[in-house]
């Protein structure tokens, strides 16, 4: 499914998603105060510099300066665009994808 989704749908996916739960499927995370830490999946490291903030629903790596929200994580990790990342997150958290409008017909009815 390609194309633009309404902002309301994007916000409903954002509200249903849990960044810690999602990223934990890719990277082992451990509690560190109010945040979670782990090894960054975007560069090689031996000491955890990857931080996930459940309150702000953001991630940041202090080693390679990569960061953002859950959609940007999926875009970076899976090498996909925003629409695909949105669909991946929606499916993961059980948010039903909206029906797309049928394309406009330009010829006579069959």
């Amino acid at each position: 499914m390609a194309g633009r989704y309404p902002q309301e749908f994007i916000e409903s996916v954002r509200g249903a998603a849990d960044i810690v739960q999602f990223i934990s499927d890719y990277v082992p995370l451990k509690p560190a105060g109010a945040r979670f830490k782990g090894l960054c999946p975007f560069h090689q490291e031996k000491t955890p510099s990857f931080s996930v903030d459940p309150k702000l629903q953001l991630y940041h790596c202090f080693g390679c300066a990569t960061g953002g929200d859950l959609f940007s994580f999926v875009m970076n990790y899976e090498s996909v665009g925003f629409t695909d990342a949105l669909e991946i997150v929606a499916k993961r958290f059980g948010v039903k994808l909206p029906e797309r409008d049928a394309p406009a017909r330009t010829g006579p009815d069959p």
Side-chain angles (χ1 to χ4, degrees):
M1 180 182 289
R4 193 161 155 79
Y5 287 106
Q7 189 64 34
E8 298 83 36
F9 174 69
I10 295 169
E11 293 307 319
S12 69
V13 172
R14 190 183 314 274
D18 178 337
I19 194 168
V20 173
Q21 185 180 359
F22 189 91
I23 291 179
S24 290
D25 291 346
Y26 295 84
V27 178
L29 297 175
K30 294 182 179 182
R35 296 186 176 143
F36 290 79
K37 288 182 81 173
L39 296 176
C40 181
F42 303 115
H43 76 280
Q44 295 291 327
E45 64 180 1
K46 293 181 182 179
T47 305
S49 63
F50 186 77
S51 176
V52 181
D53 188 321
K55 183 176 179 183
L56 297 176
Q57 293 290 296
L58 297 172
Y59 73 94
H60 181 77
C61 176
F62 294 95
C64 68
T66 302
D69 64 5
L70 183 51
F71 301 124
S72 65
F73 178 85
V74 175
M75 290 168 62
N76 288 330
Y77 194 89
E78 299 288 347
S79 297
V80 298
F82 179 78
T83 300
D84 289 333
L86 177 65
E87 292 173 0
I88 290 168
V89 175
K91 288 175 187 173
R92 168 67 172 79
F93 289 99
V95 179
K96 187 175 188 276
L97 299 175
E99 294 294 322
R100 290 186 55 198
D101 293 333
R105 293 183 50 88
T106 56
D109 288 335

